[in-house]
Amino acid sequence: MIPDFYTHREEWPALIEQIVELLGRVSALEALSERGLELRRMNRIGSVHSSTAIEGNALSLAAVGRIASGGAVFGPQRDIQEVENAFAAYDALETLDPWNVDDFVRAHGLLTRGLISEAGAFRTVDVDVVGPAGDVLHTGSRHEKVPRLVSELLEWVASADDHPIIVSSAVHFLIEHIHPFRDGNGRIGRLWQTLILSRWRPLFAWTPTETLVRRSQEGYYSALQRSRVPEIDAASFISYMIDIILRSLHEYELQSISSVTDGGRNGGRNAAVLAVLLGDPTLTAVELADVLGTSSRTIDRTLQSLKASGLLRREGSTKSGRWIVVERGS
């Protein structure tokens, strides 16, 4: 039986209410947009790039986009395999049951196929989570307890009466705490939170949540650690994820507004460019064209249009600068 492992914070209900309102607005905007599928594709590419990059994958967003399109990519074979696996796992979301242990293990197998010998199997040794300096941050649960703990956790998820945003964040934390696999625990934790949220509202399968986590990666690990020390209380991590979810929906709203208000094919392209640049503001025009599967000339025209309309500006040089996406009204 899973004991209580988090305390509620008084600000959560108001923040969740904001999230629900945003979900309604974004869903309405998506229904009006002619390019909703393109935005979803861009966010999926960003999610895969971010979730694998958090774990050290060196492939660029442009390279991940080429993999999504079935194109050739030059890079470390392990990194390419890891990205292909991530796409397979996210594509399988609709077939996964968030309360089912077999599906949990199967999803891990999809994420780590060809990367580790224990793909799709609970670990059979004890593990430590080590920080950048080599210090032990956390010791995973004893390996012989892992199957029972995961089973109890997913049973708890199935019967939990808290809000899905709180429950999914709490589950994400406890997956990282148990550390049920030799490798891939971060990826499966983020995927499983997305799965639980998408069962509540399907839009969450396409929101740029992982992209926001990557942008505040230090905060992600800090929130995990604060939730373990001096004793387990996942409230800090839940608060962190609520903020990430809120900001990811604000970002999706910006993408959707751009798609609807600019209208037609150009509006969809504008929104897609903004979505990609929110994920990686260092991309060049050539790399943007690669991700979006269009010509550099088309991207140059789109960038000029976005700058002229005040939605985009450039800071720094052509080679080492970055793009700044400007929210309307700011």
Side-chain angles (χ1 to χ4, degrees), residues 86-109:
F87 275 119
Y90 279 87
D91 288 347
L93 278 176
E94 290 186 0
T95 72
L96 296 172
D97 181 348
W99 342 122
N100 186 282
V101 175
D102 289 340
D103 277 5
F104 182 73
V105 173
R106 177 165 69 91
H108 179 264

Side-chain angles (χ1 to χ4, degrees), residues 230-246:
E231 58 185 16
I232 294 178
D233 183 349
S236 289
F237 186 76
I238 294 169
S239 290
Y240 169 84
M241 287 307 306
I242 288 174
D243 178 64
I244 287 291
I245 290 166
L246 186 59

Side-chain angles (χ1 to χ4, degrees), residues 9-72:
R9 293 188 175 176
E10 61 181 15
E11 67 269 22
W12 289 352
L15 293 171
I16 289 171
E17 186 175 346
Q18 290 180 46
I19 289 171
V20 172
E21 290 174 1
L22 266 171
L23 281 166
R25 295 206 301 267
V26 172
S27 296
L29 286 165
E30 266 209 333
L32 294 172
S33 173
E34 298 177 4
R35 310 288 286 192
L37 291 179
E38 186 172 350
L39 290 180
R40 288 186 171 196
R41 177 179 179 273
M42 291 302 102
N43 279 334
R44 175 61 55 80
I45 290 170
S47 291
V48 167
H49 173 250
S50 296
S51 195
T52 53
I54 289 169
E55 306 302 328
N57 192 293
L59 293 183
S60 67
L61 181 62
V64 174
R66 287 196 297 275
I67 291 172
S69 300

Side-chain angles (χ1 to χ4, degrees), residues 205-227:
W206 308 100
T207 56
T209 307
E210 290 89 342
T211 301
L212 271 292
V213 169
R214 188 196 172 209
R215 284 187 213 154
S216 59
Q217 192 170 331
E218 187 175 335
Y220 176 71
Y221 290 119
S222 176
L224 281 171
Q225 196 63 9
R226 290 198 310 273
S227 296

